[in-house]
Amino acid sequence: MNTKLKPLRKHLLLAGLVALLPATSWAYAGSDAERIQKLEQQVNLLLERLSAQESQLNQQQQDISETKAATKGNVIASTNGRSLTFKDADGDFSFTVGGRLQADAVYHNEDDIKLGDGSRFRRAFLDIRGTVYRDWNYRFQYDFARPGGSDNSQRGIRDAYVQYTGFTPDITVGQFKQPFGLEHLTSSLNTTFNERALTNVFNPDRAIGLGLSHGGSNWSLSGGAFGEKAEVDPADEGNEGWGLVARGTFNPIIEKDRLVHLGAAVLHRNPEEGDLRFRERPEANVTGVRFIDTGTIGNVDDYQQYGLEAATVLGPFSLQSEYINTRVQRGSGDKNLNFNAWYVYASYFLTGESRGYNAKSGAFGAVRPNSTVGQGGIGAWEAGIRYSRADLNDGSFIGGDQDNLTLGVNWYATDNIRFSANYIKVLDVDRPGNAADGEKPSIFALRGQIHF
Amino acid sequence: MNTKLKPLRKHLLLAGLVALLPATSWAYAGSDAERIQKLEQQVNLLLERLSAQESQLNQQQQDISETKAATKGNVIASTNGRSLTFKDADGDFSFTVGGRLQADAVYHNEDDIKLGDGSRFRRAFLDIRGTVYRDWNYRFQYDFARPGGSDNSQRGIRDAYVQYTGFTPDITVGQFKQPFGLEHLTSSLNTTFNERALTNVFNPDRAIGLGLSHGGSNWSLSGGAFGEKAEVDPADEGNEGWGLVARGTFNPIIEKDRLVHLGAAVLHRNPEEGDLRFRERPEANVTGVRFIDTGTIGNVDDYQQYGLEAATVLGPFSLQSEYINTRVQRGSGDKNLNFNAWYVYASYFLTGESRGYNAKSGAFGAVRPNSTVGQGGIGAWEAGIRYSRADLNDGSFIGGDQDNLTLGVNWYATDNIRFSANYIKVLDVDRPGNAADGEKPSIFALRGQIHF
Amino acid sequence: MNTKLKPLRKHLLLAGLVALLPATSWAYAGSDAERIQKLEQQVNLLLERLSAQESQLNQQQQDISETKAATKGNVIASTNGRSLTFKDADGDFSFTVGGRLQADAVYHNEDDIKLGDGSRFRRAFLDIRGTVYRDWNYRFQYDFARPGGSDNSQRGIRDAYVQYTGFTPDITVGQFKQPFGLEHLTSSLNTTFNERALTNVFNPDRAIGLGLSHGGSNWSLSGGAFGEKAEVDPADEGNEGWGLVARGTFNPIIEKDRLVHLGAAVLHRNPEEGDLRFRERPEANVTGVRFIDTGTIGNVDDYQQYGLEAATVLGPFSLQSEYINTRVQRGSGDKNLNFNAWYVYASYFLTGESRGYNAKSGAFGAVRPNSTVGQGGIGAWEAGIRYSRADLNDGSFIGGDQDNLTLGVNWYATDNIRFSANYIKVLDVDRPGNAADGEKPSIFALRGQIHF
């Protein structure tokens, strides 16, 4: 650039010298001829300076055009402070990469049944999503904390789908969460307690299928037809089960920090080879022990579930409850079964924040702390209490009836980092004839979580 | 920026006022003294304006230089509409991230042997490749749909190599596809049918080794020495097998949408501990059943394969065929064995596209639909028919002789998204004495595929 | 851009023509009136040219401002020639993606015990790290070469932690290397030999825990409390072990290519359920055979380790040594045990480079070759020799006492690509009563390594 500047600088110098002339000649005026000669000199110098400027202008123009051309069509990176997104100028293409990590340490004050204390990763997601062309989106999540195991499972694969948003409703094909249950559909990043309530025994999890979904500013509708989650064992030649699911939500009140959520969902399913099993850990995941477990229920024709959801947010205070009923229809000679589960919980932000909510999906979202640790703040502090119960006993069928009380504290250090402590008291297990009957352990669970 | 503009604007205003003067004085001319004075005023204003411009020019120059300096050495992101590539200005460094997802749902109209219906992910690749320095390239692909399993396998690792392109030929070290077989070397994204033909029973798959490759506008040559694919079981203390492979292809015709491909390949291999097994699923992958299976052939000294390939593309029409012969040399007391397999297929694009082809690697490439769904188009539609046969019977040795007929439809919604439906009719299995003998199931397979 | 240039070009043309006038009129002077008229014409043209320039200047100003606005807040990509880093302008956010691949081929000249020759991936890391907000960092590494296995292990997860650097010392929570052992804490990318020495039998590996670390220009201190590495088997209800570790290092000399490193570390640990096992492969990893193995030592109360480290770098020459002593305290009725291991090695760069070192972590770092292959250079060449011994015999307890001699050559083709050949001679195994007793195999190991 220096060499290009030189001609201009020379002119500036000359111009500076000449600029002194008119100042003096002005005062003394001089003869017409002298004045004209001075003007002619000045005009000539002006012409030279102008020409030099024109050269520089054109050079700059070229530089600017080159910069524009070089960046035209570039993909631009941006971030929301968590994940990293790349987009082209047309918006035809996008790519986002993120992840989540949850590390747990859990201590058990056991009753009779041994529960192993320890630490492990609860989730370790890589999360890739994007747009390949306009309305064609995709998402792929893998959970490195769920290794393959001896059954050759693909269970590390979480969301893995293609979505077309060019129609109403949106069409999704692949593996994704079946639309059933408020806590089930709220990301594990945003559930108030470390583990979902005992109702989780009935949550249908992700499966491969086709889904339709649509929603507005205060409602959502979604449904789909599903096979099973990515096959556990290709060497198992049983025909996979299949099912239908539908869910609707409505928000009579939805304001910045005031919300009422109402939801209902139904599910019909034919299980693989007529075999069905419900079982659940005690709202803690380092142990492999399940106090409630139906074992394999054979001779099942199909089963139906319905779920009811209600929640409210009033500033820092929130209340949430769900009830799920499950009816198992069995073939001749075997009794139909009726199970149910429910929970209710309250949470309060000591630091004044409100829970986030997404009306289009009818589920709770992220909490944004008012202040952040590392910027003079203390983050967000939330306290919660939950009662939760699942009843897998029906008449003489004894899968177990458990109720839990949980106390929880969440510390949101930043938008992306949360530390949680949960105390879970198993109030009772009613499962006559099984070792789990009457077990009342207490469990203390710590979690560190980052979302990027 | 505003403050910098102000001086210039003031001058523009003054200049605008003064600019009116000469227009009037021109018409009326006036006395010489008046005209000179006016000129002197104008020239002084011109000088001021010029100086103001010079300031602005220099300011802009600085801005432009700063922008150039700030972006110098930056890595620039771009996309081909699928994967995302980062390059530095010198081209010394590049990094590309992409992936592929294939979800299958398969229904079997069984004969006697049970084939489990169901859905699963056929492939879920993360694909990272790049240049670390000039001619030093690498690639790493992991298939999340192939979990570890109980055998502690590294089979999720697909391509994983370093390549040096500073010489002729290119040198590749690591794990990559052994150069044998047209359909084998065509990416699973671009095969005409969901699964490769029954000839796949002899395809040598990827292995860890050293390869040399070179190619021109209408030919390719490649070869290598290979161990086995990433070791299945480190606790197994058998010495790995090793082999040599070479392949050449030639295109007597290669135009935009007219192509003739001819290819031949040879392979020699000493299997681990003298044990060898060939077996293949029925061109469908949700089931684990193989109708043809040699079982473990012991006492093998070595084996040789040769393969012949021919294909043509005539606009939307394409014809492709392969033949593979395998000769197993066994030690004293055991009979040598001779197996073979072949297929032939035709495909036609109803929407007029042609199959893509890459002469340098001698394999078929991607299809680019003429119109895209979501932009008023219908994508590309392709119909295909294939006959495929593998004969693992030799004299009294009965591994099975199977022949299949496949009808396929592919819908390429965009460059990156393909939906496929295949109907596979097992015409016959000739395997006397085995349960598979005479099996003639029909199979209906659906696939959704995205490539990013 | 063309249309904007046109007005200016027109003016340039006019100006060019007019510029000829004064040159002639100067020579011949003419009457005052003629000279004034010429001046008036020139000044008017000058005004037009100035106005045109002003338009263009303002247009350019807008372009420059737009470019600045468009890139403001963008995340900028950069590279160190290996990994790829994204940062926002404030430095509040960063994201780095990289990886490493190590492919091994190993041949064994066996004695009595069979050691399987073969090739496999030693490591295949994806490595993601970043800053989510100012002082809050994270790192996640996954090793695709360590599949899940039948024990449902999370052992593919390597570093996985959140770190807060807003205090002194830095606080790390999650899974990371326990601070013990110089060779252990030196990345596998930068160890002089393919595998760590036999002292590795006592290295504590990564574990989930909380660590504190701080360091200066010639010292480092770190410590932590740890559970176990990510749980192998959640179905195993034993309570995890836990331990405390601390390490300090000091550099009396630390210059560009002259270094003295001194270090010491202590470890106390209570193993899970009182069971402890030490075992190690023969500095080669394709085989699963361990010549030394304590088997499960039961009735262990706790154990302590101390380690001493010394190393020096003198230009191309380097010397390094470590000694580790392990004392196992057992309950009543069982004898306490005392094991130890040590190594010493020398390395020399034939091409004159020096080993890299990081004082803040007290561990060796990367080698930068003076010249690079592909740019006329030959890379860096290093030769090394190591003697290594581990003694797991104590009195009547016979875990084995092995000593190895290793010769190694490393070729650093570029900053990121290294090829290595190691010859390992097992000098002796002293383990009376076990098949391994007296085994003296030689092992030839090749490695190709890329780091991106």
Side-chain angles (χ1 to χ4, degrees):
Chain A
M1 236 51 242
N2 276 347
T3 51
K4 285 169 192 159
L5 273 172
K6 274 176 191 162
L8 186 66
R9 282 189 185 144
K10 199 173 65 189
H11 285 291
L12 288 174
L13 202 69
L14 286 170
L17 292 172
V18 174
L20 298 171
L21 299 179
T24 44
S25 62
W26 216 240
Y28 128 91
S31 74
D32 277 7
E34 279 173 332
R35 287 168 72 186
I36 288 170
Q37 195 179 343
K38 207 157 284 170
L39 277 169
E40 283 167 346
Q41 286 168 350
Q42 286 180 313
V43 164
N44 269 24
L45 276 168
L46 276 168
L47 279 166
E48 284 186 45
R49 286 171 66 186
L50 256 185
S51 296
Q53 282 200 2
E54 275 155 3
S55 294
Q56 200 191 355
L57 263 173
N58 289 334
Q59 179 58 42
Q60 287 191 0
Q61 195 65 55
Q62 202 177 319
D63 279 4
I64 290 168
S65 300
E66 276 169 10
T67 300
K68 279 200 172 175
T71 55
K72 190 184 157 83
N74 268 7
V75 168
I76 300 301
S78 63
T79 180
N80 55 0
R82 293 188 301 282
S83 49
L84 187 62
T85 296
F86 303 91
K87 277 188 186 156
D88 70 354
D90 309 325
D92 283 356
F93 170 87
S94 79
F95 180 93
T96 297
V97 58
R100 76 179 68 166
L101 189 65
Q102 295 176 338
D104 282 6
V106 180
Y107 307 91
H108 308 84
N109 189 357
E110 294 128 331
D111 213 329
D112 287 328
I113 293 177
K114 202 168 178 192
L115 306 168
D117 297 344
S119 54
R120 68 191 292 254
F121 291 101
R122 182 64 177 92
R123 290 177 182 87
F125 276 30
L126 181 70
D127 187 355
I128 291 172
R129 52 192 187 278
T131 303
V132 283
Y133 187 74
R134 298 198 176 191
D135 301 321
W136 293 94
N137 308 313
Y138 66 91
R139 186 162 198 168
F140 181 74
Q141 281 177 333
Y142 191 81
D143 185 356
F144 292 101
R146 299 192 183 221
S150 59
D151 54 2
N152 214 5
S153 159
Q154 298 183 333
R155 69 174 168 270
I157 301 179
R158 312 301 287 165
D159 279 356
Y161 59 75
V162 175
Q163 187 174 55
Y164 184 69
T165 57
F167 291 132
T168 297
D170 295 343
I171 305 169
T172 309
V173 176
Q175 179 167 284
F176 51 100
K177 276 186 185 173
Q178 297 181 62
F180 190 99
L182 174 58
E183 206 177 34
H184 173 237
L185 295 169
T186 297
S187 162
S188 71
L189 292 168
N190 303 323
T191 53
T192 302
F193 301 90
N194 286 5
E195 298 295 333
R196 295 186 176 94
L198 289 172
T199 44
N200 199 43
V201 68
F202 298 131
N203 282 333
D205 206 351
R206 290 171 174 89
I208 296 180
L210 184 148
L212 306 175
S213 61
H214 193 50
S217 63
N218 70 339
W219 62 277
S220 77
L221 272 178
S222 48
F226 293 89
E228 296 187 349
K229 76 182 106 174
E231 179 142 355
V232 166
D233 189 355
D236 161 24
E237 298 298 335
N239 291 330
E240 271 190 8
W242 62 272
L244 298 170
V245 193
R247 177 175 181 256
T249 67
F250 175 60
N251 306 106
I253 300 175
I254 182 163
E255 297 166 13
K256 195 187 168 324
D257 51 10
R258 270 164 51 96
L259 173 83
V260 173
H261 164 99
L262 301 172
V266 291
L267 176 153
H268 169 96
R269 192 160 187 89
N270 288 45
E272 173 161 349
E273 305 292 302
D275 290 339
L276 183 62
R277 183 178 194 174
F278 295 110
R279 57 178 186 166
E280 187 68 10
R281 291 189 170 97
E283 299 182 6
N285 220 284
V286 164
T287 179
V289 170
R290 281 99 164 178
F291 294 126
I292 53 173
D293 184 350
T294 62
T296 299
I297 309 171
N299 195 21
V300 173
D301 288 339
D302 50 54
Y303 66 100
Q304 291 76 38
Q305 293 184 339
Y306 66 88
L308 297 173
E309 314 162 6
T312 186
V313 172
L314 292 163
F317 178 74
S318 167
L319 204 61
Q320 177 175 329
S321 184
E322 273 187 88
Y323 171 84
I324 304 177
N325 182 274
T326 297
R327 290 155 188 272
V328 183
Q329 317 293 335
R330 303 173 78 192
S332 60
D334 280 311
K335 200 179 149 287
N336 291 351
L337 297 169
N338 195 334
F339 304 135
N340 61 75
W342 62 278
Y343 71 83
V344 58
Y345 78 73
S347 97
Y348 185 79
F349 281 93
L350 309 169
T351 41
E353 291 81 358
S354 286
R355 295 177 72 193
Y357 183 82
N358 183 342
K360 251 198 101 175
S361 63
F364 282 95
V367 170
R368 304 261 171 235
N370 291 336
S371 75
T372 301
V373 175
Q375 206 186 20
I378 57 158
W381 287 84
E382 181 185 22
I385 182 168
R386 178 171 72 189
Y387 177 83
S388 163
R389 177 172 203 140
D391 184 355
L392 302 182
N393 294 341
D394 182 16
S396 64
F397 187 95
I398 307 298
D401 176 357
Q402 180 177 354
D403 52 349
N404 282 6
L405 183 73
T406 303
L407 302 175
V409 174
N410 297 323
W411 174 41
Y412 303 78
T414 78
D415 279 2
N416 313 332
I417 296 178
R418 180 174 116 169
F419 297 93
S420 306
N422 278 196
Y423 170 82
I424 303 122
K425 179 65 195 171
V426 178
L427 297 173
D428 196 18
V429 177
D430 174 20
R431 198 177 171 192
N434 185 287
D437 189 52
E439 285 289 294
K440 292 170 184 167
S442 335
I443 304 171
F444 184 64
L446 294 169
R447 174 169 295 175
Q449 168 180 308
I450 184 165
H451 175 206
F452 61 87
Chain B
M1 236 52 245
N2 276 348
T3 52
K4 286 171 192 160
L5 273 172
K6 273 176 188 164
L8 186 67
R9 280 191 185 141
K10 200 172 64 188
H11 287 290
L12 288 174
L13 203 68
L14 285 169
L17 292 172
V18 173
L20 297 171
L21 299 178
T24 45
S25 63
W26 215 241
Y28 127 90
S31 74
D32 278 5
E34 281 173 333
R35 287 168 72 188
I36 288 170
Q37 197 178 344
K38 207 157 285 168
L39 276 169
E40 283 167 344
Q41 287 168 350
Q42 285 180 312
V43 164
N44 270 20
L45 276 168
L46 274 168
L47 279 166
E48 283 186 45
R49 286 171 66 186
L50 255 186
S51 296
Q53 282 200 3
E54 275 156 1
S55 294
Q56 200 189 357
L57 262 172
N58 289 333
Q59 179 60 41
Q60 286 192 2
Q61 195 65 55
Q62 203 178 320
D63 278 4
I64 290 169
S65 300
E66 275 169 9
T67 301
K68 280 200 171 178
T71 56
K72 190 184 157 82
N74 267 9
V75 168
I76 299 301
S78 63
T79 180
N80 55 359
R82 292 187 301 282
S83 48
L84 186 62
T85 295
F86 303 90
K87 277 189 187 155
D88 69 356
D90 309 325
D92 284 354
F93 171 87
S94 80
F95 180 93
T96 298
V97 57
R100 74 179 69 166
L101 190 64
Q102 295 176 337
D104 282 6
V106 180
Y107 307 91
H108 307 85
N109 189 356
E110 294 128 331
D111 212 329
D112 287 328
I113 294 177
K114 201 166 179 194
L115 306 169
D117 297 346
S119 53
R120 68 190 291 255
F121 292 101
R122 181 65 176 91
R123 289 178 184 87
F125 277 29
L126 180 70
D127 187 356
I128 290 172
R129 53 191 185 279
T131 302
V132 283
Y133 187 74
R134 300 199 174 189
D135 301 321
W136 293 93
N137 308 311
Y138 66 91
R139 185 162 198 168
F140 181 73
Q141 281 177 334
Y142 193 81
D143 186 356
F144 292 101
R146 300 193 183 220
S150 58
D151 54 2
N152 213 4
S153 161
Q154 297 183 332
R155 69 173 168 272
I157 301 178
R158 312 300 287 164
D159 279 354
Y161 60 75
V162 174
Q163 189 174 53
Y164 184 69
T165 57
F167 291 131
T168 297
D170 295 343
I171 304 169
T172 309
V173 176
Q175 179 167 283
F176 51 100
K177 276 185 184 173
Q178 296 181 61
F180 189 100
L182 175 58
E183 206 176 33
H184 174 236
L185 295 169
T186 298
S187 161
S188 71
L189 292 168
N190 302 323
T191 53
T192 303
F193 301 90
N194 287 4
E195 297 296 333
R196 295 189 174 92
L198 290 172
T199 46
N200 199 44
V201 68
F202 298 131
N203 282 333
D205 205 353
R206 289 172 175 87
I208 296 180
L210 184 148
L212 305 175
S213 61
H214 193 50
S217 63
N218 70 339
W219 63 277
S220 77
L221 271 178
S222 48
F226 294 89
E228 295 187 350
K229 77 181 105 175
E231 180 142 354
V232 166
D233 190 354
D236 162 24
E237 298 298 334
N239 292 329
E240 271 191 8
W242 61 273
L244 298 170
V245 193
R247 177 177 181 255
T249 67
F250 175 60
N251 306 107
I253 300 175
I254 181 161
E255 296 166 12
K256 194 186 168 323
D257 50 10
R258 269 162 53 93
L259 173 83
V260 173
H261 164 100
L262 300 172
V266 291
L267 176 151
H268 169 95
R269 192 163 185 87
N270 288 49
E272 173 161 349
E273 305 293 301
D275 289 340
L276 183 62
R277 184 179 193 173
F278 294 110
R279 57 179 187 165
E280 186 68 10
R281 291 190 170 96
E283 299 181 5
N285 219 284
V286 164
T287 178
V289 170
R290 280 100 165 178
F291 295 127
I292 53 173
D293 184 350
T294 60
T296 299
I297 308 172
N299 195 20
V300 173
D301 288 339
D302 50 56
Y303 67 99
Q304 291 75 40
Q305 293 185 339
Y306 66 89
L308 297 174
E309 315 164 5
T312 188
V313 172
L314 292 164
F317 179 74
S318 167
L319 204 61
Q320 176 174 332
S321 183
E322 272 186 270
Y323 171 84
I324 303 177
N325 182 272
T326 297
R327 290 157 189 270
V328 182
Q329 317 295 335
R330 303 173 78 192
S332 60
D334 280 311
K335 199 179 150 288
N336 292 349
L337 297 169
N338 194 335
F339 304 134
N340 62 74
W342 62 278
Y343 71 84
V344 58
Y345 76 74
S347 99
Y348 186 78
F349 281 93
L350 309 169
T351 41
E353 291 81 357
S354 285
R355 294 177 73 194
Y357 182 81
N358 183 344
K360 252 199 101 174
S361 62
F364 282 95
V367 170
R368 304 260 172 237
N370 292 335
S371 75
T372 301
V373 175
Q375 205 185 22
I378 58 158
W381 287 84
E382 180 184 22
I385 181 168
R386 178 171 71 189
Y387 176 83
S388 162
R389 177 172 202 139
D391 184 355
L392 302 182
N393 294 341
D394 183 17
S396 63
F397 187 95
I398 306 298
D401 176 357
Q402 179 178 353
D403 54 347
N404 282 6
L405 184 73
T406 304
L407 303 174
V409 175
N410 296 325
W411 174 42
Y412 303 78
T414 78
D415 280 1
N416 312 331
I417 296 178
R418 180 173 117 169
F419 298 93
S420 306
N422 278 195
Y423 171 83
I424 302 122
K425 178 64 194 171
V426 177
L427 297 174
D428 196 19
V429 176
D430 174 19
R431 197 177 171 191
N434 185 288
D437 189 52
E439 283 290 293
K440 292 170 184 167
S442 335
I443 304 171
F444 185 63
L446 295 169
R447 174 170 296 175
Q449 168 179 306
I450 184 165
H451 174 206
F452 60 86
Chain C
M1 235 51 243
N2 276 347
T3 52
K4 284 170 191 158
L5 274 173
K6 274 176 191 161
L8 186 66
R9 282 191 187 142
K10 200 172 65 190
H11 285 291
L12 288 174
L13 203 68
L14 285 170
L17 292 171
V18 173
L20 297 172
L21 299 179
T24 45
S25 62
W26 216 240
Y28 126 94
S31 74
D32 277 6
E34 279 174 332
R35 288 169 71 188
I36 289 169
Q37 196 178 344
K38 207 156 287 168
L39 276 169
E40 283 167 347
Q41 287 169 351
Q42 286 180 313
V43 164
N44 271 23
L45 274 168
L46 275 167
L47 280 166
E48 283 187 45
R49 286 172 66 187
L50 256 186
S51 296
Q53 281 200 5
E54 276 155 3
S55 294
Q56 200 190 357
L57 264 173
N58 289 334
Q59 179 59 42
Q60 287 191 2
Q61 195 65 53
Q62 203 176 320
D63 279 3
I64 289 169
S65 300
E66 276 169 9
T67 301
K68 280 199 172 178
T71 55
K72 192 185 155 82
N74 268 8
V75 169
I76 299 301
S78 63
T79 179
N80 56 359
R82 294 186 299 280
S83 49
L84 187 62
T85 296
F86 302 91
K87 277 189 186 155
D88 69 354
D90 308 326
D92 284 355
F93 171 87
S94 80
F95 180 93
T96 297
V97 59
R100 76 179 69 167
L101 190 64
Q102 296 176 336
D104 281 6
V106 180
Y107 307 92
H108 309 84
N109 189 357
E110 295 129 330
D111 213 330
D112 286 326
I113 294 177
K114 202 169 178 191
L115 306 169
D117 296 345
S119 54
R120 68 190 292 254
F121 291 102
R122 181 64 176 91
R123 291 179 182 86
F125 277 29
L126 180 69
D127 187 355
I128 291 172
R129 54 192 185 277
T131 303
V132 285
Y133 186 75
R134 301 200 174 189
D135 300 322
W136 292 94
N137 308 313
Y138 65 91
R139 184 163 198 167
F140 182 74
Q141 282 177 333
Y142 193 82
D143 186 355
F144 292 101
R146 299 195 183 217
S150 57
D151 54 2
N152 214 4
S153 158
Q154 298 183 334
R155 70 173 167 271
I157 301 179
R158 312 301 287 165
D159 278 356
Y161 60 75
V162 174
Q163 188 174 55
Y164 183 69
T165 58
F167 290 132
T168 296
D170 295 344
I171 305 168
T172 309
V173 176
Q175 179 167 283
F176 52 100
K177 276 188 186 170
Q178 297 181 60
F180 190 100
L182 174 57
E183 207 177 33
H184 173 237
L185 295 169
T186 297
S187 161
S188 71
L189 292 167
N190 302 324
T191 53
T192 303
F193 301 89
N194 287 5
E195 298 295 334
R196 294 187 176 93
L198 289 172
T199 44
N200 198 44
V201 67
F202 297 130
N203 283 333
D205 206 352
R206 288 171 175 88
I208 297 181
L210 184 147
L212 306 175
S213 60
H214 192 50
S217 63
N218 70 338
W219 62 277
S220 78
L221 272 178
S222 48
F226 294 87
E228 296 187 350
K229 75 183 107 174
E231 181 143 353
V232 167
D233 189 355
D236 162 24
E237 298 298 336
N239 292 329
E240 270 190 10
W242 62 273
L244 299 169
V245 194
R247 177 178 181 253
T249 67
F250 174 61
N251 306 107
I253 299 176
I254 181 161
E255 296 167 13
K256 195 186 169 320
D257 49 12
R258 268 162 55 93
L259 173 83
V260 172
H261 165 100
L262 300 172
V266 291
L267 176 152
H268 169 94
R269 192 161 186 89
N270 288 48
E272 174 161 350
E273 305 292 302
D275 290 339
L276 182 62
R277 183 178 195 175
F278 294 110
R279 57 178 186 166
E280 186 68 11
R281 290 188 170 99
E283 299 181 5
N285 220 285
V286 164
T287 179
V289 170
R290 280 102 163 177
F291 294 128
I292 52 173
D293 184 350
T294 61
T296 299
I297 308 171
N299 195 24
V300 173
D301 288 337
D302 50 55
Y303 66 100
Q304 290 76 39
Q305 292 185 340
Y306 65 88
L308 297 174
E309 315 163 5
T312 187
V313 172
L314 291 163
F317 178 74
S318 168
L319 203 62
Q320 177 174 331
S321 183
E322 271 187 272
Y323 170 83
I324 304 177
N325 182 272
T326 297
R327 291 156 187 270
V328 182
Q329 317 294 336
R330 303 174 78 192
S332 58
D334 280 310
K335 198 180 148 289
N336 291 350
L337 298 170
N338 194 333
F339 304 136
N340 60 75
W342 62 279
Y343 70 85
V344 58
Y345 77 74
S347 98
Y348 186 78
F349 281 94
L350 309 170
T351 41
E353 290 82 358
S354 287
R355 295 176 72 193
Y357 182 82
N358 184 343
K360 249 196 105 177
S361 63
F364 282 95
V367 170
R368 303 260 171 238
N370 291 334
S371 75
T372 302
V373 175
Q375 206 186 21
I378 57 158
W381 287 84
E382 181 185 24
I385 181 167
R386 179 171 70 188
Y387 176 83
S388 163
R389 175 171 204 140
D391 183 355
L392 303 182
N393 293 341
D394 183 17
S396 62
F397 187 94
I398 307 297
D401 175 356
Q402 180 177 353
D403 53 346
N404 281 6
L405 184 73
T406 303
L407 303 175
V409 175
N410 296 323
W411 174 43
Y412 304 79
T414 78
D415 280 2
N416 313 330
I417 296 178
R418 179 174 117 170
F419 297 94
S420 306
N422 279 194
Y423 170 82
I424 302 122
K425 179 63 195 173
V426 177
L427 297 174
D428 195 18
V429 176
D430 174 21
R431 197 177 172 192
N434 185 285
D437 189 52
E439 284 290 293
K440 292 170 183 165
S442 336
I443 303 172
F444 186 62
L446 294 168
R447 173 169 296 174
Q449 167 179 307
I450 184 166
H451 175 206
F452 60 87

